[in-house]
Amino acid sequence: MGQLIRTSLRRHRTVNRLYVLMAAAMIAVLYAVLALIEDDRLLAHTIDVNDLTAVVPALLVIVLVVILLFAIVFLLYMNSILIEWRTASIRVYRRLGMPVSRIGLGLLLESLLLGAAATVLGIGLGWVFSKFLAMMLLRLMGVHKAVGLLWAPRAAVELAVLFLVVYAVLGTINAIYAGNVEMTAESAANRTSRIPASGWRTLVAWAGAVVLVLSYAAAYNLVHLTYLMAQRYHGGGVWTLLAVPALGVLSLYVVFKVSLPALFVWLMKRPKLRRNAAALMTVTNVHKRLLRNVHSLFLTTLLATITITVLGSGAILYQFGQRSVTRSVALDMVASSTGVKQAFSKDTAAVIKRAVVLPTKLAAGRLSEPNHATGDGDETIYNVMALSDYTRIRRVQKGLPALTLGPHQAAMILFGRTLYQHTWLGKRQHWGLTLTRTHQRFAVKTVTGTFPLGDSAYFDRALVIPDRDFRQLLAPADPLTGYLLKQGQSGQAAKQLNDGVGEDYVGGSAAILTGKKAPRVKATAGAADFGRRAVQFKAPLMGEMNVLFGMGLFIVILLGAVFIVATASILMIKQLMLAAEDHQARTILRQLGMPQPLEQRVAAAQTAVIFALPLAFGTLNSALMIRYLSMFLNDPGVFLVIVIVAVYILVYLAFGILTVRLTART
Amino acid sequence: MRVVDVAHLTKVYGHRLNRVTALNDLSFHIEAGEFVGIMGPSGAGKSTLLNMIATIDQPTSGKLTVAGKELTALRDSEAAAYRREDLGFIFQAFNLVPDLTVADNITLPQTFVPPLPKDLDQRLMHFANLLGLVPLLKRYPEQLSLGQRQRVAAARAMIGHPDLILADEPTGSLDSMAATELLQYLAKLNLEEDVTIMMVTHDAFTASFCNRIIFIRDGAYFAEVTRRSSRQAFFNSIIDMEATINGGDRRGPIDPH
């Protein structure tokens, strides 16, 4: 028995080592999170930051459960492909008359040995990793506290027992599988992997590809499509929201199962390609891998989609949080005319470095759209400003978009401009805006979401019009002032003033909106009034945002890292198994005189295609999902998402290179 | 013209305490256009010799020249080029690439490195015609009979117009009918294309299709038999020699007891 286990471990040592390393990496993350949860003194620092951070321990437990479930599913999946790979040798043992009980016991003991190695290694790595994890959590939440390695014996014992049970279950599954291996069947390696071309398959291949492209186009226009369907059919919006992703997932599967293999069969028949051994072998091997690995490729694509979306959304939320603070309060302090009166004192004057004034006028306006599309008949209050004042503010407020306007043209600035954005479905809208009291009419040339001095200084929307029109506009003035404060004074000034600052209101009654009455700023609120804070500070908002979104970012980075490594490992181990099966074919090619660099090029190209497929589809899917989510966040920016995709590509590249190297060794 | 020149070839495997001499000062040569068989009992060193000529293995000492190339002096890339351009190989297990069609299997070695032979399609059709493979060109190896597979391997070995074809037990996996058919094709190739063939075999019937048989034993040259009359007579002399090689040492003094 011992000899049998030793032989088996030696025979599969490359794949076993990787299997143990992957499992150890997951156990390490689990240990580090569990140790963090059990360290009450450390978590107390995070709980004390503000009211919201009290949920940190609960969130960590949820993360722990998610990773634990994922790790178990991952191990089950890996175990199933590893045991299938060993079917041929199990069959030989059975044919030679080895009792099933003995084979099963061997597999169980082998599984327990691998499990013990993974657990010991994982807990060791987790102990080292725990310090970095704790530091990452604290720094992202803005807590500056020194942390050491976290040793939690209870966590270690709990994880060890849990994973030994998991590996025992896996071993038992393998033993049952070994008992059911048929002695007469052909091994997977010898099974033919060719599917005969037929008219039906070609039709399905095309249908899958076309439906996928259509579902991508629909996902790109999802907001407008949902709006359109909701207007046309009762419940059409919800059905559209469900149908587009469902069709996308279904057609993606058909693309992996039928369309891509059909494409590679078509490529294999190209005369030019058939005259280039490297290209022919690459295309042939990729075709074989597509047929043999369709489920793992589809699964990794879905996981890549989820991972990039989760990471990307987390990053976008973090970036959105930072941007939204800047969008909300563009300079260190922003005040209305009543706010200036309330805030201005000797103490405040001492900390001001620079002040800029933005003159605006309050007017009600009505949008009109000739085809009665989005926004038609929309009435609200606008802070109207001159183009020259807007351009002047751009000098102190980075990120405020440049505007050019002709006579009687206007730029509308509003928060949440999702439905006003132009896409393929929504590009034919031509909005006109009439100021209801003065009857001045403007063509809306541009819609943006960035307010000069920040959106918190406005009652609702802003309107930028040419200087001449602004001078002619007879409406109550509502000047806004932005302040840049001296370095390090911002937080202190906010603490001093925050409690004494009141609110401004403006009426939103039908009489005001239809232009019968002029809108005026007042200190008391009515039922339909618009309101704003008279003075806003940036520093306290930014501090709260960092704590809140830093916590979220920590969680998504943790989950994302686990998912990335898991998907790449599944691909790598599957490729190594096929490489082992292809060993004979590679030997033949070498004997026939294939140069070694050419052989390496084929291995690199086929690995690159197999790793690139889930990455490319996953990135595309995530890009569409993140785009949809980000539309509701008012242009949060994509820089961090690009960074995340780049990191994902780098991780896959590293796994790809490792796969090519191990393939050469196999 | 001498195509293969084996001079004092020795191959020793293992280390100081566990040495096995696979080839022991072996010398012989093969002229262009010959169809030579290599025979000998198991462990005589036939496969080792074949691996040396195929540059898959290196000799411990001695000289090995094929088509004027000194094989022991070749670098890896030169050895690959030699296998690609100067050598055709027919294996017992066919060694076809299962995922390629018959046509692609045959042309594969010619497409490893540019330039591509301009007449590759004509060559393909020529050898497909010669070996009766024309209706099978679009099929995959697993859709062929064993005999057909070996004919594909023969066409692949031939298509590069090599100086030498090595056949390692080419009939070992075939039934007698398929074996006879393949050997007739090989003899046809040897006669019509003037190809030099060196075939390793255990089987006297298979060997009887050759012009000359070199017998080796314990890694050394033992004897040789040349065909001078009918195939039946040649077959009988091979059987005689086999009996001798398995029964005693022809070159040594006969023990009266």
Side-chain angles (χ1 to χ4, degrees), chain A residues 192-194 268 274-278 280-281 284-285 288 582 584-585 588-596 598, chain B residues 56 76 80 83-84 89 91 95-101 103-104 107-109 111-113 116 120-121 140 142 156:
Chain A
T192 172
S193 53
R194 242 174 313 287
M268 277 155 65
R274 289 175 54 205
R275 293 293 178 254
N276 181 332
L280 180 65
M281 289 314 297
T284 308
N285 288 350
K288 184 176 171 182
D582 285 346
Q584 200 195 351
I588 297 170
L589 293 174
R590 220 171 295 152
Q591 284 174 342
L592 292 176
M594 188 184 226
Q596 211 173 0
L598 201 70
Chain B
I56 293 166
D76 279 356
R83 290 199 295 274
R84 205 164 54 235
F89 219 129
F91 305 87
N95 282 7
L96 300 176
V97 181
D99 300 308
L100 298 183
T101 59
D104 289 340
T107 56
L108 186 69
T111 61
F112 282 154
V113 182
L116 206 67
L120 189 59
D121 287 328
Y140 287 89
E142 86 253 2
R156 182 179 62 186

Short mmCIF file of all heavy atoms in Angstrom, two decimals, chain A residues 192-194 268 274-278 280-281 284-285 288 582 584-585 588-596 598, chain B residues 56 76 80 83-84 89 91 95-101 103-104 107-109 111-113 116 120-121 140 142 156:
data_model
loop_
_atom_site.label_atom_id
_atom_site.label_comp_id
_atom_site.label_asym_id
_atom_site.label_seq_id
_atom_site.Cartn_x
_atom_site.Cartn_y
_atom_site.Cartn_z
N THR A 192 -11.81 9.85 -29.17
CA THR A 192 -11.72 10.81 -30.27
C THR A 192 -12.37 12.12 -29.84
O THR A 192 -13.39 12.15 -29.17
CB THR A 192 -12.40 10.25 -31.52
OG1 THR A 192 -12.45 11.29 -32.47
CG2 THR A 192 -13.80 9.74 -31.27
N SER A 193 -11.71 13.22 -30.17
CA SER A 193 -12.24 14.50 -29.74
C SER A 193 -12.79 15.27 -30.93
O SER A 193 -12.94 16.47 -30.87
CB SER A 193 -11.12 15.29 -29.08
OG SER A 193 -10.02 15.36 -29.94
N ARG A 194 -13.04 14.54 -32.04
CA ARG A 194 -13.54 15.26 -33.21
C ARG A 194 -15.05 15.18 -33.30
O ARG A 194 -15.65 14.16 -33.03
CB ARG A 194 -12.94 14.63 -34.48
CG ARG A 194 -12.09 15.60 -35.24
CD ARG A 194 -11.41 14.92 -36.37
NE ARG A 194 -10.79 13.66 -35.97
CZ ARG A 194 -9.71 13.57 -35.25
NH1 ARG A 194 -9.10 14.66 -34.84
NH2 ARG A 194 -9.23 12.40 -34.91
N MET A 268 -8.33 25.31 -39.54
CA MET A 268 -7.48 24.13 -39.83
C MET A 268 -7.52 23.75 -41.30
O MET A 268 -6.62 23.08 -41.79
CB MET A 268 -7.93 22.94 -38.98
CG MET A 268 -7.37 22.96 -37.57
SD MET A 268 -8.42 22.06 -36.41
CE MET A 268 -8.28 20.42 -37.02
N ARG A 274 -2.24 25.33 -43.35
CA ARG A 274 -1.81 23.93 -43.38
C ARG A 274 -0.38 23.79 -43.86
O ARG A 274 0.23 22.73 -43.72
CB ARG A 274 -2.75 23.12 -44.26
CG ARG A 274 -4.11 22.93 -43.62
CD ARG A 274 -5.04 22.24 -44.55
NE ARG A 274 -4.49 21.00 -45.02
CZ ARG A 274 -4.85 20.43 -46.18
NH1 ARG A 274 -5.74 21.01 -46.94
NH2 ARG A 274 -4.31 19.29 -46.55
N ARG A 275 0.16 24.83 -44.44
CA ARG A 275 1.54 24.78 -44.93
C ARG A 275 2.51 25.38 -43.92
O ARG A 275 3.65 25.68 -44.25
CB ARG A 275 1.63 25.52 -46.28
CG ARG A 275 0.87 24.84 -47.39
CD ARG A 275 1.54 23.51 -47.74
NE ARG A 275 0.82 22.80 -48.78
CZ ARG A 275 0.07 21.74 -48.55
NH1 ARG A 275 -0.06 21.26 -47.33
NH2 ARG A 275 -0.54 21.12 -49.55
N ASN A 276 2.03 25.63 -42.71
CA ASN A 276 2.89 26.17 -41.66
C ASN A 276 2.69 25.30 -40.42
O ASN A 276 1.65 25.40 -39.76
CB ASN A 276 2.49 27.63 -41.40
CG ASN A 276 3.35 28.28 -40.33
OD1 ASN A 276 3.87 27.60 -39.45
ND2 ASN A 276 3.50 29.57 -40.41
N ALA A 277 3.68 24.44 -40.16
CA ALA A 277 3.51 23.43 -39.10
C ALA A 277 3.19 24.08 -37.75
O ALA A 277 2.33 23.58 -37.01
CB ALA A 277 4.75 22.58 -38.99
N ALA A 278 3.87 25.19 -37.43
CA ALA A 278 3.66 25.82 -36.11
C ALA A 278 2.21 26.30 -36.00
O ALA A 278 1.54 26.06 -34.99
CB ALA A 278 4.63 26.98 -35.93
N LEU A 280 -0.36 25.32 -37.83
CA LEU A 280 -1.30 24.19 -37.91
C LEU A 280 -1.38 23.46 -36.56
O LEU A 280 -2.47 23.14 -36.08
CB LEU A 280 -0.85 23.22 -39.01
CG LEU A 280 -1.72 21.99 -39.20
CD1 LEU A 280 -3.11 22.38 -39.68
CD2 LEU A 280 -1.10 21.03 -40.22
N MET A 281 -0.21 23.22 -35.95
CA MET A 281 -0.21 22.50 -34.67
C MET A 281 -0.88 23.35 -33.58
O MET A 281 -1.59 22.83 -32.72
CB MET A 281 1.21 22.14 -34.24
CG MET A 281 1.88 21.05 -35.05
SD MET A 281 0.86 19.61 -35.37
CE MET A 281 0.55 18.99 -33.73
N THR A 284 -4.63 23.24 -34.24
CA THR A 284 -5.13 21.89 -33.94
C THR A 284 -5.18 21.67 -32.43
O THR A 284 -6.18 21.15 -31.90
CB THR A 284 -4.19 20.84 -34.58
OG1 THR A 284 -4.03 21.17 -35.95
CG2 THR A 284 -4.75 19.46 -34.46
N ASN A 285 -4.13 22.06 -31.74
CA ASN A 285 -4.09 21.86 -30.28
C ASN A 285 -5.13 22.72 -29.56
O ASN A 285 -5.75 22.27 -28.59
CB ASN A 285 -2.70 22.17 -29.73
CG ASN A 285 -1.70 21.11 -30.12
OD1 ASN A 285 -2.09 20.07 -30.64
ND2 ASN A 285 -0.42 21.37 -29.93
N LYS A 288 -8.46 21.10 -30.00
CA LYS A 288 -8.59 19.94 -29.12
C LYS A 288 -8.89 20.40 -27.69
O LYS A 288 -9.74 19.84 -27.00
CB LYS A 288 -7.26 19.17 -29.14
CG LYS A 288 -7.26 17.90 -28.35
CD LYS A 288 -5.92 17.23 -28.56
CE LYS A 288 -5.73 16.07 -27.65
NZ LYS A 288 -4.41 15.47 -27.84
N ASP A 582 -0.41 14.89 -24.50
CA ASP A 582 0.20 15.22 -25.80
C ASP A 582 1.67 14.83 -25.87
O ASP A 582 2.32 15.08 -26.89
CB ASP A 582 0.09 16.73 -26.07
CG ASP A 582 -1.31 17.11 -26.46
OD1 ASP A 582 -2.10 16.20 -26.76
OD2 ASP A 582 -1.62 18.31 -26.45
N GLN A 584 3.26 12.14 -26.26
CA GLN A 584 3.66 11.25 -27.35
C GLN A 584 3.70 12.01 -28.68
O GLN A 584 4.63 11.86 -29.47
CB GLN A 584 2.69 10.08 -27.44
CG GLN A 584 3.30 8.91 -28.18
CD GLN A 584 2.27 7.90 -28.61
OE1 GLN A 584 1.11 7.97 -28.22
NE2 GLN A 584 2.69 6.96 -29.42
N ALA A 585 2.68 12.87 -28.87
CA ALA A 585 2.62 13.64 -30.13
C ALA A 585 3.85 14.55 -30.24
O ALA A 585 4.44 14.68 -31.31
CB ALA A 585 1.35 14.47 -30.16
N ILE A 588 6.82 12.50 -31.25
CA ILE A 588 6.77 12.18 -32.68
C ILE A 588 7.30 13.37 -33.49
O ILE A 588 8.15 13.20 -34.38
CB ILE A 588 5.31 11.91 -33.13
CG1 ILE A 588 4.75 10.68 -32.42
CG2 ILE A 588 5.24 11.72 -34.64
CD1 ILE A 588 3.25 10.49 -32.63
N LEU A 589 6.81 14.56 -33.15
CA LEU A 589 7.22 15.75 -33.91
C LEU A 589 8.72 15.97 -33.80
O LEU A 589 9.38 16.32 -34.77
CB LEU A 589 6.47 16.98 -33.38
CG LEU A 589 4.96 16.97 -33.64
CD1 LEU A 589 4.28 18.14 -32.96
CD2 LEU A 589 4.67 17.00 -35.13
N ARG A 590 9.25 15.73 -32.59
CA ARG A 590 10.70 15.89 -32.41
C ARG A 590 11.46 14.88 -33.26
O ARG A 590 12.45 15.20 -33.90
CB ARG A 590 11.04 15.72 -30.92
CG ARG A 590 12.09 16.69 -30.44
CD ARG A 590 12.22 16.63 -28.95
NE ARG A 590 11.02 17.07 -28.25
CZ ARG A 590 10.67 16.65 -27.05
NH1 ARG A 590 11.41 15.78 -26.41
NH2 ARG A 590 9.59 17.11 -26.48
N GLN A 591 10.95 13.63 -33.27
CA GLN A 591 11.61 12.59 -34.07
C GLN A 591 11.54 12.91 -35.57
O GLN A 591 12.42 12.54 -36.32
CB GLN A 591 10.95 11.24 -33.81
CG GLN A 591 11.37 10.65 -32.47
CD GLN A 591 10.60 9.40 -32.13
OE1 GLN A 591 9.56 9.12 -32.70
NE2 GLN A 591 11.13 8.64 -31.19
N LEU A 592 10.47 13.60 -35.95
CA LEU A 592 10.35 13.96 -37.36
C LEU A 592 11.17 15.19 -37.72
O LEU A 592 11.19 15.61 -38.87
CB LEU A 592 8.88 14.23 -37.70
CG LEU A 592 7.94 13.02 -37.65
CD1 LEU A 592 6.52 13.45 -37.90
CD2 LEU A 592 8.36 11.98 -38.67
N GLY A 593 11.83 15.76 -36.73
CA GLY A 593 12.74 16.87 -37.01
C GLY A 593 12.18 18.24 -36.73
O GLY A 593 12.68 19.23 -37.26
N MET A 594 11.13 18.33 -35.91
CA MET A 594 10.62 19.66 -35.56
C MET A 594 11.63 20.36 -34.66
O MET A 594 12.00 19.81 -33.62
CB MET A 594 9.28 19.55 -34.84
CG MET A 594 8.62 20.90 -34.62
SD MET A 594 7.10 20.74 -33.67
CE MET A 594 6.01 21.75 -34.61
N PRO A 595 12.10 21.56 -35.03
CA PRO A 595 13.09 22.24 -34.19
C PRO A 595 12.48 22.59 -32.83
O PRO A 595 11.29 22.90 -32.75
CB PRO A 595 13.40 23.52 -34.98
CG PRO A 595 12.87 23.30 -36.34
CD PRO A 595 11.76 22.32 -36.23
N GLN A 596 13.34 22.57 -31.80
CA GLN A 596 12.83 22.80 -30.44
C GLN A 596 12.21 24.19 -30.26
O GLN A 596 11.16 24.31 -29.62
CB GLN A 596 13.95 22.60 -29.44
CG GLN A 596 13.40 22.09 -28.13
CD GLN A 596 14.48 21.72 -27.16
OE1 GLN A 596 15.66 21.84 -27.43
NE2 GLN A 596 14.09 21.26 -26.00
N LEU A 598 10.56 25.85 -32.36
CA LEU A 598 9.22 25.79 -32.98
C LEU A 598 8.23 25.10 -32.04
O LEU A 598 7.09 25.53 -31.88
CB LEU A 598 9.32 25.02 -34.29
CG LEU A 598 8.22 25.27 -35.31
CD1 LEU A 598 8.34 26.67 -35.87
CD2 LEU A 598 8.31 24.27 -36.44
N ILE B 56 18.65 10.22 -32.18
CA ILE B 56 17.88 10.32 -30.93
C ILE B 56 18.80 9.99 -29.75
O ILE B 56 18.59 10.41 -28.63
CB ILE B 56 16.65 9.37 -30.99
CG1 ILE B 56 15.68 9.88 -32.07
CG2 ILE B 56 15.93 9.26 -29.66
CD1 ILE B 56 14.62 8.88 -32.47
N ASP B 76 22.15 20.19 -31.76
CA ASP B 76 20.72 19.84 -31.68
C ASP B 76 19.93 20.31 -32.90
O ASP B 76 19.14 19.58 -33.49
CB ASP B 76 20.09 20.46 -30.42
CG ASP B 76 20.38 19.61 -29.20
OD1 ASP B 76 20.99 18.53 -29.38
OD2 ASP B 76 20.01 20.02 -28.08
N ALA B 80 18.12 18.10 -35.80
CA ALA B 80 16.71 18.23 -36.17
C ALA B 80 16.59 18.41 -37.68
O ALA B 80 15.72 17.81 -38.33
CB ALA B 80 16.07 19.40 -35.43
N ARG B 83 17.18 15.08 -39.38
CA ARG B 83 16.01 14.19 -39.30
C ARG B 83 14.92 14.65 -40.26
O ARG B 83 14.20 13.85 -40.84
CB ARG B 83 15.44 14.20 -37.87
CG ARG B 83 16.31 13.51 -36.86
CD ARG B 83 15.54 13.15 -35.60
NE ARG B 83 15.07 14.31 -34.87
CZ ARG B 83 15.78 14.97 -33.97
NH1 ARG B 83 17.03 14.57 -33.70
NH2 ARG B 83 15.29 16.01 -33.34
N ARG B 84 14.82 15.98 -40.41
CA ARG B 84 13.77 16.56 -41.25
C ARG B 84 14.06 16.35 -42.73
O ARG B 84 13.17 16.04 -43.52
CB ARG B 84 13.73 18.06 -40.93
CG ARG B 84 12.47 18.74 -41.18
CD ARG B 84 12.44 20.07 -40.47
NE ARG B 84 13.55 20.95 -40.77
CZ ARG B 84 14.36 21.49 -39.86
NH1 ARG B 84 14.19 21.21 -38.60
NH2 ARG B 84 15.34 22.29 -40.21
N PHE B 89 11.36 8.26 -41.43
CA PHE B 89 11.27 7.30 -40.33
C PHE B 89 9.92 6.61 -40.37
O PHE B 89 8.89 7.27 -40.44
CB PHE B 89 11.43 8.06 -39.00
CG PHE B 89 12.24 7.33 -37.98
CD1 PHE B 89 13.30 7.95 -37.32
CD2 PHE B 89 11.96 6.01 -37.66
CE1 PHE B 89 14.05 7.28 -36.37
CE2 PHE B 89 12.70 5.33 -36.71
CZ PHE B 89 13.75 5.96 -36.08
N PHE B 91 7.78 4.05 -38.05
CA PHE B 91 7.82 3.44 -36.71
C PHE B 91 6.87 2.25 -36.62
O PHE B 91 5.87 2.20 -37.33
CB PHE B 91 7.40 4.46 -35.66
CG PHE B 91 8.18 5.74 -35.68
CD1 PHE B 91 7.80 6.80 -36.50
CD2 PHE B 91 9.29 5.91 -34.89
CE1 PHE B 91 8.51 7.98 -36.52
CE2 PHE B 91 10.01 7.09 -34.90
CZ PHE B 91 9.62 8.13 -35.72
N ASN B 95 3.20 6.31 -35.22
CA ASN B 95 3.51 7.68 -34.77
C ASN B 95 2.91 8.76 -35.66
O ASN B 95 3.59 9.71 -36.06
CB ASN B 95 5.04 7.87 -34.65
CG ASN B 95 5.56 7.24 -33.40
OD1 ASN B 95 4.81 6.56 -32.69
ND2 ASN B 95 6.81 7.45 -33.09
N LEU B 96 1.63 8.60 -35.96
CA LEU B 96 0.95 9.67 -36.70
C LEU B 96 0.36 10.63 -35.67
O LEU B 96 0.06 10.22 -34.55
CB LEU B 96 -0.17 9.08 -37.56
CG LEU B 96 0.28 8.06 -38.60
CD1 LEU B 96 -0.91 7.48 -39.34
CD2 LEU B 96 1.25 8.68 -39.60
N VAL B 97 0.21 11.89 -36.07
CA VAL B 97 -0.40 12.86 -35.15
C VAL B 97 -1.92 12.69 -35.25
O VAL B 97 -2.49 12.91 -36.32
CB VAL B 97 0.02 14.31 -35.50
CG1 VAL B 97 -0.59 15.29 -34.51
CG2 VAL B 97 1.54 14.42 -35.50
N PRO B 98 -2.58 12.27 -34.16
CA PRO B 98 -4.00 11.89 -34.27
C PRO B 98 -4.93 13.03 -34.66
O PRO B 98 -5.99 12.79 -35.20
CB PRO B 98 -4.34 11.37 -32.87
CG PRO B 98 -3.26 11.87 -31.98
CD PRO B 98 -2.05 12.08 -32.81
N ASP B 99 -4.52 14.27 -34.38
CA ASP B 99 -5.43 15.38 -34.64
C ASP B 99 -5.30 15.97 -36.04
O ASP B 99 -5.95 16.96 -36.36
CB ASP B 99 -5.20 16.49 -33.60
CG ASP B 99 -5.43 15.99 -32.20
OD1 ASP B 99 -6.51 15.41 -31.97
OD2 ASP B 99 -4.53 16.11 -31.36
N LEU B 100 -4.42 15.40 -36.86
CA LEU B 100 -4.24 15.93 -38.22
C LEU B 100 -4.78 14.92 -39.23
O LEU B 100 -4.74 13.71 -39.00
CB LEU B 100 -2.76 16.19 -38.51
CG LEU B 100 -2.06 17.23 -37.62
CD1 LEU B 100 -0.63 17.41 -38.09
CD2 LEU B 100 -2.79 18.56 -37.67
N THR B 101 -5.22 15.44 -40.37
CA THR B 101 -5.71 14.55 -41.44
C THR B 101 -4.53 13.79 -42.04
O THR B 101 -3.36 14.14 -41.80
CB THR B 101 -6.39 15.34 -42.55
OG1 THR B 101 -5.42 16.25 -43.07
CG2 THR B 101 -7.61 16.09 -42.06
N ALA B 103 -3.54 13.83 -45.11
CA ALA B 103 -2.75 14.74 -45.96
C ALA B 103 -1.82 15.59 -45.11
O ALA B 103 -0.63 15.73 -45.43
CB ALA B 103 -3.70 15.62 -46.76
N ASP B 104 -2.34 16.14 -44.00
CA ASP B 104 -1.51 17.00 -43.15
C ASP B 104 -0.42 16.20 -42.45
O ASP B 104 0.69 16.71 -42.24
CB ASP B 104 -2.38 17.73 -42.12
CG ASP B 104 -3.25 18.79 -42.76
OD1 ASP B 104 -2.91 19.20 -43.89
OD2 ASP B 104 -4.26 19.18 -42.17
N THR B 107 2.40 15.73 -45.07
CA THR B 107 3.20 16.92 -45.42
C THR B 107 3.83 17.60 -44.21
O THR B 107 4.67 18.48 -44.38
CB THR B 107 2.31 17.96 -46.15
OG1 THR B 107 1.18 18.25 -45.32
CG2 THR B 107 1.83 17.45 -47.50
N LEU B 108 3.42 17.21 -43.00
CA LEU B 108 3.84 17.92 -41.78
C LEU B 108 5.35 18.21 -41.69
O LEU B 108 5.74 19.37 -41.52
CB LEU B 108 3.37 17.15 -40.55
CG LEU B 108 3.62 17.84 -39.21
CD1 LEU B 108 2.75 19.07 -39.06
CD2 LEU B 108 3.35 16.89 -38.05
N PRO B 109 6.24 17.20 -41.85
CA PRO B 109 7.67 17.52 -41.66
C PRO B 109 8.20 18.55 -42.66
O PRO B 109 9.14 19.27 -42.37
CB PRO B 109 8.36 16.17 -41.89
CG PRO B 109 7.30 15.15 -41.74
CD PRO B 109 6.03 15.79 -42.15
N THR B 111 6.66 21.16 -43.53
CA THR B 111 6.17 22.51 -43.20
C THR B 111 6.76 23.04 -41.89
O THR B 111 6.36 24.09 -41.42
CB THR B 111 4.63 22.50 -43.09
OG1 THR B 111 4.25 21.61 -42.03
CG2 THR B 111 3.96 22.09 -44.37
N PHE B 112 7.70 22.30 -41.31
CA PHE B 112 8.29 22.74 -40.05
C PHE B 112 9.03 24.07 -40.21
O PHE B 112 8.93 24.96 -39.40
CB PHE B 112 9.28 21.69 -39.52
CG PHE B 112 8.61 20.51 -38.85
CD1 PHE B 112 9.24 19.28 -38.81
CD2 PHE B 112 7.37 20.64 -38.28
CE1 PHE B 112 8.64 18.19 -38.20
CE2 PHE B 112 6.75 19.56 -37.66
CZ PHE B 112 7.39 18.34 -37.63
N VAL B 113 9.84 24.13 -41.26
CA VAL B 113 10.71 25.30 -41.44
C VAL B 113 10.60 25.76 -42.89
O VAL B 113 10.62 24.93 -43.80
CB VAL B 113 12.18 24.91 -41.13
CG1 VAL B 113 13.09 26.11 -41.26
CG2 VAL B 113 12.30 24.34 -39.73
N LEU B 116 9.05 26.38 -48.07
CA LEU B 116 8.16 25.25 -48.34
C LEU B 116 8.51 24.72 -49.74
O LEU B 116 8.69 25.52 -50.64
CB LEU B 116 6.75 25.81 -48.33
CG LEU B 116 5.61 24.90 -47.99
CD1 LEU B 116 5.70 24.47 -46.55
CD2 LEU B 116 4.30 25.66 -48.21
N LEU B 120 5.04 20.71 -53.27
CA LEU B 120 4.57 19.86 -52.16
C LEU B 120 3.26 19.14 -52.49
O LEU B 120 3.11 17.95 -52.20
CB LEU B 120 4.40 20.71 -50.88
CG LEU B 120 4.14 19.94 -49.60
CD1 LEU B 120 5.27 18.97 -49.28
CD2 LEU B 120 3.95 20.87 -48.41
N ASP B 121 2.35 19.85 -53.15
CA ASP B 121 1.06 19.23 -53.50
C ASP B 121 1.27 18.08 -54.49
O ASP B 121 0.64 17.03 -54.36
CB ASP B 121 0.11 20.28 -54.08
CG ASP B 121 -0.40 21.21 -52.99
OD1 ASP B 121 -0.54 20.75 -51.84
OD2 ASP B 121 -0.61 22.40 -53.29
N TYR B 140 -8.89 10.98 -40.75
CA TYR B 140 -7.99 11.10 -39.60
C TYR B 140 -7.42 9.71 -39.29
O TYR B 140 -8.06 8.69 -39.61
CB TYR B 140 -8.73 11.66 -38.39
CG TYR B 140 -9.04 13.12 -38.55
CD1 TYR B 140 -10.22 13.55 -39.15
CD2 TYR B 140 -8.12 14.08 -38.13
CE1 TYR B 140 -10.48 14.90 -39.32
CE2 TYR B 140 -8.38 15.42 -38.28
CZ TYR B 140 -9.55 15.84 -38.88
OH TYR B 140 -9.80 17.17 -39.05
N GLU B 142 -7.36 7.69 -36.86
CA GLU B 142 -8.16 6.66 -36.19
C GLU B 142 -9.26 6.10 -37.11
O GLU B 142 -9.89 5.10 -36.78
CB GLU B 142 -8.76 7.19 -34.88
CG GLU B 142 -10.07 7.90 -35.03
CD GLU B 142 -9.92 9.41 -34.85
OE1 GLU B 142 -8.79 9.86 -34.64
OE2 GLU B 142 -10.95 10.10 -34.92
N ARG B 156 4.80 9.71 -45.44
CA ARG B 156 5.41 10.81 -44.70
C ARG B 156 6.94 10.71 -44.73
O ARG B 156 7.64 11.71 -44.85
CB ARG B 156 4.90 10.80 -43.26
CG ARG B 156 5.43 11.95 -42.42
CD ARG B 156 4.90 11.91 -41.02
NE ARG B 156 5.31 10.68 -40.31
CZ ARG B 156 4.90 10.34 -39.10
NH1 ARG B 156 4.04 11.11 -38.48
NH2 ARG B 156 5.31 9.23 -38.52
#
